[in-house]
Amino acid sequence: MAGPMPPRWVAARLRQGLVIPAHPLALTARRRLDERRQRALTRYYLAAGAGGLAVGVHTTQFAIRRHGMLDPVLELAAATAREAGREARPVLIAGICGRTRQAVAEAELAARHGYHAGLLSLGAMRNAGTGELIEHARAVAEAIPLFGFYLQPAAGGRVLEPDFWRRLVLIENLVAIKIAPFDRYRTLEVVRAVAESGRAADVALYTGNDDSIVTDLLTAWRIGNARAGRTVRIVGGLLGQWAVWTRRAVQVHARCRRVRSKTAIPAALLRLAAQITDANAAVFDAANNFAGCIPGIHEVLRGQGLLAGNWCLDPNETLSPGQRAAIARVRKSYPWLTDDRFVERHRDEWLK
């Protein structure tokens, strides 16, 4: 049985390449959903020019499922996006987690709320073989178009064999893949699988490598020899790093798209790539194996007045020692990476 296909405009926009922030979770000091600020975040991303939203993903905190928040959080983002009107028209991606029964139920829930694809996390299938993983993916694909996902182990993912990607690409309603192993070798395995599948024109590649955003967007991945090979590009990003300073992220993405056809990459863009990686190291707490990744995102948004605090659902999930100072350092070092003035101008209207 073939699964549902996305609307043509969704598939076309995904192939074109979008900025898709991974949507954080706005909480009150009592760790309850702060609906006003959750809506404000969605409005911020759309006003900043994001072409999509990813909700219920790692940055939204996988624990929302244990707290009964998945349904209201998905509904709130979708409703707020609809209020933005057809001009914004974001592609909505829902995070899908758990073993098959849970994952299918989440996919059905997302489809009911109008989400266009499900970002399939395989962290709960840690000990499953490739065959079982493919059957799992096919079951979910019967409920919603698939957005494949290579999540780094430090964030709850697992190592996935090249054969998994070769077989996943054959699922007809796989529309895109987020490549986020934070590993160049494993990134290349996914790119090669898509290039060799014959479906490179149908499956859009998105970077989730927050440590290598600009490099991924600029690289022309040539797979095979000069005569029979194929060039594949990563066209956009679905990123936690793009949950902050999103207006600048949209501008960087557009800049990368403009220079891709040139014979040489400007040195200024390569400098920018290193600066963004440095900023990401502070926000994502790379020094402590990403332990403060989500609080780091929240801290930036708190500093801009979009969130009331940097609280997470788990009271023990906090900024690491020295992380706040690291974030302050990169803000001071690279003010051109921030969008504080843009947020300050519009924050009150987003918070209404």
Side-chain angles (χ1 to χ4, degrees):
M1 175 179 172
M5 300 299 292
R8 289 183 179 179
W9 70 267
V10 169
R13 294 201 68 200
L14 284 172
R15 290 194 297 267
Q16 180 184 18
L18 301 173
V19 169
I20 306 178
H23 206 306
L25 179 68
L27 295 173
T28 67
R30 299 180 65 184
R31 292 183 166 80
R32 306 281 178 80
L33 177 62
D34 187 333
E35 292 193 7
R36 181 172 71 100
R37 292 185 182 274
Q38 189 75 6
R39 284 185 180 273
L41 288 178
T42 303
R43 291 167 179 156
Y44 161 47
Y45 298 136
L46 297 182
L53 298 169
V55 187
V57 295
H58 173 250
T59 303
T60 325
Q61 301 179 57
F62 290 140
I64 60 174
R65 291 151 175 87
R66 298 197 302 273
H67 291 261
M69 291 185 182
L70 180 62
D71 190 351
V73 166
L74 289 177
E75 182 178 17
L76 194 59
T80 306
R82 284 194 295 271
E83 290 172 4
R86 290 181 61 85
E87 185 176 345
R89 210 181 195 189
V91 173
L92 299 178
I93 311 297
I96 307 296
C97 296
R99 298 192 67 84
T100 304
R101 184 174 180 179
Q102 175 187 337
V104 170
E106 290 189 5
E108 292 171 345
L109 174 67
R112 287 198 298 273
H113 284 309
Y115 282 75
H116 303 115
L119 185 72
L120 185 61
S121 173
L122 298 171
M125 310 286 286
R126 192 166 300 277
N127 298 315
T130 294
E132 186 178 352
L133 292 175
I134 293 299
E135 289 307 309
H136 173 78
R138 289 189 181 280
V140 174
E142 291 183 7
I144 197 168
L146 286 185
F147 204 121
F149 188 14
Y150 203 155
L151 175 63
Q152 63 159 324
R158 54 162 288 175
V159 174
L160 296 163
E161 298 299 324
D163 187 52
F164 167 77
W165 297 107
R166 286 192 290 267
R167 295 172 65 179
L168 185 76
V169 172
L170 299 180
I171 296 178
E172 186 178 0
N173 63 341
L174 177 78
V175 294
I177 298 174
K178 170 180 175 174
I179 311 173
F182 283 47
D183 183 306
R184 306 316 292 162
Y185 301 111
R186 290 171 182 160
T187 294
L188 184 55
E189 288 173 356
V190 182
V191 173
R192 181 181 293 113
V194 173
E196 294 175 347
S197 70
R199 295 201 64 217
D202 303 318
V203 179
L205 293 179
Y206 278 69
T207 182
N209 291 319
D210 301 76
D211 64 339
S212 191
I213 297 169
V214 172
T215 304
D216 277 356
L217 292 172
L218 291 176
T219 300
W221 308 78
R222 182 67 182 179
I223 307 299
N225 60 42
R227 290 186 178 180
R230 186 179 186 101
T231 298
V232 179
R233 289 191 178 275
I234 292 175
V235 296
L238 195 166
L239 296 153
Q241 178 64 33
W242 283 355
V244 301
W245 306 324
T246 310
R247 182 65 173 167
R248 294 297 185 218
V250 170
Q251 294 167 353
V252 168
H253 177 250
R255 188 175 172 187
C256 290
R257 288 174 59 88
R258 285 196 300 271
V259 306
R260 283 192 318 199
S261 60
K262 298 184 182 298
T263 56
I265 301 298
L269 262 182
L270 298 179
R271 287 196 299 271
L272 182 65
Q275 293 165 357
I276 291 173
T277 298
D278 189 18
N280 175 257
V283 175
F284 271 37
D285 194 28
N288 296 286
N289 200 29
F290 308 101
C293 168
I294 295 175
I297 292 170
H298 291 183
E299 177 64 14
V300 174
L301 295 170
R302 182 204 63 77
Q304 292 182 310
L306 288 166
L307 292 184
N310 60 29
W311 310 295
C312 293
L313 288 170
D314 181 353
N316 296 314
E317 193 169 359
T318 61
L319 292 174
S320 293
Q323 189 180 1
R324 180 177 282 113
I327 293 172
R329 175 187 65 80
V330 298
R331 290 174 64 93
K332 183 177 180 180
S333 298
Y334 316 121
W336 50 87
L337 297 184
T338 73
D339 62 358
D340 294 351
R341 291 182 180 178
F342 172 72
V343 172
E344 187 176 3
R345 286 198 304 270
H346 300 284
R347 182 181 57 230
D348 290 346
E349 64 188 80
W350 298 333
L351 283 165
K352 286 182 181 178

